[in-house]
């Protein structure tokens, strides 16, 4: 199976909550909201799944929400109590999957110091938690614990899967720097740049139980429900070539490499690679090869190099 | 400039400003943000939106929108201002052919005149509690018609002049939004005088306003920004108005925001001309 196929399967399984991932973190921005991403998950999960929606900023109750809790005027202890009540409340016996899906529309409203206890309090064996975090919103500085990590650092540390959502904007109309400057500095929305669209870029960081982390990039179309693996655009590839062009004729020295030199460089056998072929075959064991000048006495037990 | 064609101002794909699709909704509430900078007062736009929400026409900015026949009304308009008194808008609306002081479906709440003398007093209560009861008694209880349009002007003054946090103000505005169909929030957005997202001191008013606005933008369907001409001053241009879609779509309708940028001229006699940029 190719990497592209397996990465698509991984995203499909995560979106349909079939992969074991207790806390999904969605990082969005003013340029691309997580609204469409949430709808995509809802369209893929079983209709029997109980959805508890913790609203800090959503005005209208989503049609898919089984429970809708307005959290802005509640303490975190009260919210956790309500989540516990609703997630353990009796469900229809016809349900084959007793899993509860808890959505937090914005984690920016939870105090930085309470964040880790709030997240761990929401998660339980039968609960899958999804929390959205807006990267554009300023974070208050900790006045007492000045070295305390930022909310995003804490959330990224706890999350089992992280989805970063970015717009697929037209690079001919606006560049990344201008977009960042208008939105994140002046809160001004550039127009007709395909922001907050139904088609967007998703960067997935998935953490296995072993600790191994995998990163994949996709283009998610939420109107046609299709997933494409994101490949580096040709414009970026051209940019690399342009950089080589720029180095040309810059000085009297030759700073570039021609194709013949590139092939020769690729064919050079690095010494440590060869060493690994001969010695690495022992599978991680320490292999000691005696040399001709070694004075080894078989009868002496303290001579054993191991 | 005379050779350039004058344009009608529209916000949505149904060529409307405040759409019927919004006002006829049964369960959804929508939010729009009107932001402006110093030197680009949105009063001409607010007068036009009030006129459009009340009677359907918008004489100054859109000639295609017609007034409802037989004196019918489109929606009840509640205008809550932390900046101007009723006279400011009533004189402005006269030019649009409206006497809002005599209209039954127009309610004005002057939230500023007695704010620091009667609302925020030394009665020993916390400012947050005082403001919450003010919102409950003087604002939320006034907005009784569910199919209404509400304007809240300059609410960020509460962040700069009191100790309340942006979350408290957002919570109160959310309560107002829930009981109406369309909420317009009008606020100043001067960078770096009033907003700067790099400020991190939670007690700084710039942090509070920036936090408030950034969170508000994550809830809106439509953003309207007025700013001076970026290239400098011109005799025949007052400013630039940008219509952009918000982060949340109009759920429950097919309505879409038409993203456009206009330059506009407000002449001395109060007439407004819009041109594509």
């Amino acid at each position: 199976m190719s990497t592209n196929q397996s990465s698509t399967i991984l995203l499909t399984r995560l979106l349909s909550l079939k992969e074991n991932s207790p806390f999904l973190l969605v990082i969005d921005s003013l340029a691309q909201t997580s609204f469409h991403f949430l709808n995509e998950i809802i369209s893929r999960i079983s209709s029997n799944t109980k959805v508890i929606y913790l609203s800090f900023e959503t005005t209208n109750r989503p049609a898919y929400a089984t429970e809708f809790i307005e959290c802005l005027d509640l303490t975190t202890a009260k919210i956790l109590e309500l989540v516990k009540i609703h997630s353990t409340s009796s469900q229809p016996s016809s349900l084959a999957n007793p899993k509860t899906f808890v959505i937090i529309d914005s984690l920016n409203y939870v105090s930085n110091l309470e964040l880790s206890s709030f997240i761990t309090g929401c998660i339980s064996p039968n609960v899958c938690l999804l929390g959205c975090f807006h990267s554009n919103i300023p974070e208050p500085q900790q006045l007492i614990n000045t070295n305390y990590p930022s909310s995003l650092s804490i959330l990224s540390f706890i999350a089992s899967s992280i989805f970063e959502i970015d717009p697929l904007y037209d690079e001919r109309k606006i560049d990344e720097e201008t977009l960042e400057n208008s939105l994140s500095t002046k809160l001004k929305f550039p127009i007709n740049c395909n922001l907050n669209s139904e088609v967007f870029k998703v960067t997935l960081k998935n953490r296995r139980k072993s600790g191994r982390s995998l990163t994949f990039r996709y283009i998610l179309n939420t109107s046609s429900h299709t997933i494409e693996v994101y490949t580096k655009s040709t414009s970026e590839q051209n940019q690399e070539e342009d950089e080589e062009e720029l180095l040309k004729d810059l000085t009297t020295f030759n700073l570039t490499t021609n194709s013949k030199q590139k092939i020769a460089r690729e064919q050079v056998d690095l010494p440590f690679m060869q060493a690994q072929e001969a010695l690495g075959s022992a599978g991680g064991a320490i292999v000691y090869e005696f040399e001709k000048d070694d004075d080894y006495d078989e009868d002496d037990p303290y001579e054993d190099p191991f | 400039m005379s050779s350039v064609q004058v344009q009608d101002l529209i916000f949505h794909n149904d060529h409307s400003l405040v759409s019927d699709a919004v006002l006829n909704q049964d369960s959804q509430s929508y939010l729009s943000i009107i932001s402006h900078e110093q030197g680009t007062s949105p009063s001409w736009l607010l007068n036009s939106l009030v006129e459009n929400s009340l009677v359907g026409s918008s004489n100054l900015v859109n000639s295609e929108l017609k007034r409802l026949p037989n004196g019918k009304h489109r929606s009840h308009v509640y205008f809550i201002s932390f900046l101007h008194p009723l006279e400011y808008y009533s004189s402005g609306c006269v030019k649009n052919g409206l006497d809002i002081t005599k209209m039954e479906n127009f309610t004005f709440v002057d939230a500023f005149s007695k704010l620091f003398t009667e609302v925020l007093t030394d009665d020993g209560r916390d400012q947050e509690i005082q403001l919450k009861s003010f919102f409950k008694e003087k604002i939320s209880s006034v907005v009784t018609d569910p199919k209404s349009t509400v304007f809240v002007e300059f609410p960020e003054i509460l962040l700069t002049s009191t100790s309340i946090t942006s979350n408290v103000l957002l919570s109160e505005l959310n309560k107002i939004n829930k009981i109406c169909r369309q909420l317009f929030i009008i606020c100043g957005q001067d960078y770096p005088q009033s907003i700067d997202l790099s400020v991190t001191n939670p007690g700084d008013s710039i942090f509070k306003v920036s936090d408030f606005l950034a969170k508000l933008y994550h809830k809106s369907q439509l953003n309207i920004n007025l700013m001076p001409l970026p290239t400098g001053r011109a005799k025949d241009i007052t400013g630039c108005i940008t219509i952009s879609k918000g982060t949340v779509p109009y759920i429950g309708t097919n309505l879409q925001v038409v993203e456009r940028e206009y330059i506009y001229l407000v002449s001395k006699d109060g007439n407004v001309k819009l041109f594509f940029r």
Side-chain angles (χ1 to χ4, degrees), chain A residues 30 33 35 57 59-60 70 72-73 109 134 137-138 140-141 184-189 191-192 195, chain B residues 28-29 37 167 171 174-175 178 189 191 197 200 211 215 217-219 223 243-245 247 249 259:
Chain A
L30 286 170
T33 170
F35 177 85
E57 63 178 21
T59 310
N60 301 308
E70 290 183 52
L72 205 49
D73 290 333
Y109 290 79
H134 307 314
I137 292 178
Q141 177 194 349
S184 303
T185 313
K186 296 173 183 170
L187 287 174
K188 280 181 183 160
F189 289 76
I191 57 166
N192 299 320
L195 304 183
Chain B
Q28 304 284 323
S29 301
E37 294 182 15
N167 287 358
S171 168
N174 193 42
K175 285 172 194 164
K178 273 179 177 292
Q189 193 176 298
Y191 171 83
L197 294 174
T200 56
D211 185 54
K215 284 175 177 167
Y217 276 120
H218 272 283
K219 293 154 63 86
N223 305 324
I243 316 299
S244 55
K245 64 178 175 185
T247 50
E259 294 198 318

Side-chain angles (χ1 to χ4, degrees), chain A residues 146-181:
Chain A
T146 47
N147 292 326
Y148 198 75
S150 67
S151 298
L152 190 56
S153 304
I154 295 170
L155 291 169
S156 303
F157 186 76
I158 307 172
S160 44
S161 298
I162 303 170
F163 300 91
E164 275 181 55
I165 300 192
D166 294 300
L168 263 180
Y169 55 86
D170 191 345
E171 289 173 2
R172 288 166 299 178
K173 284 187 179 170
I174 192 163
D175 59 83
E176 197 177 349
E177 199 180 336
T178 315
L179 179 67
E180 187 71 15
N181 187 38

Side-chain angles (χ1 to χ4, degrees), chain A residues 76-77 79-81 104 107 110-123 129 148 154-155 158:
Chain A
T76 48
I79 299 167
L80 289 177
E81 193 188 319
I104 306 171
L107 286 163
V110 182
S111 152
N112 178 248
L113 295 172
E114 290 179 320
L115 202 53
S116 57
S117 59
F118 179 66
I119 296 294
T120 47
C122 284
I123 299 170
L129 177 70
Y148 198 75
I154 295 170
L155 291 169
I158 307 172

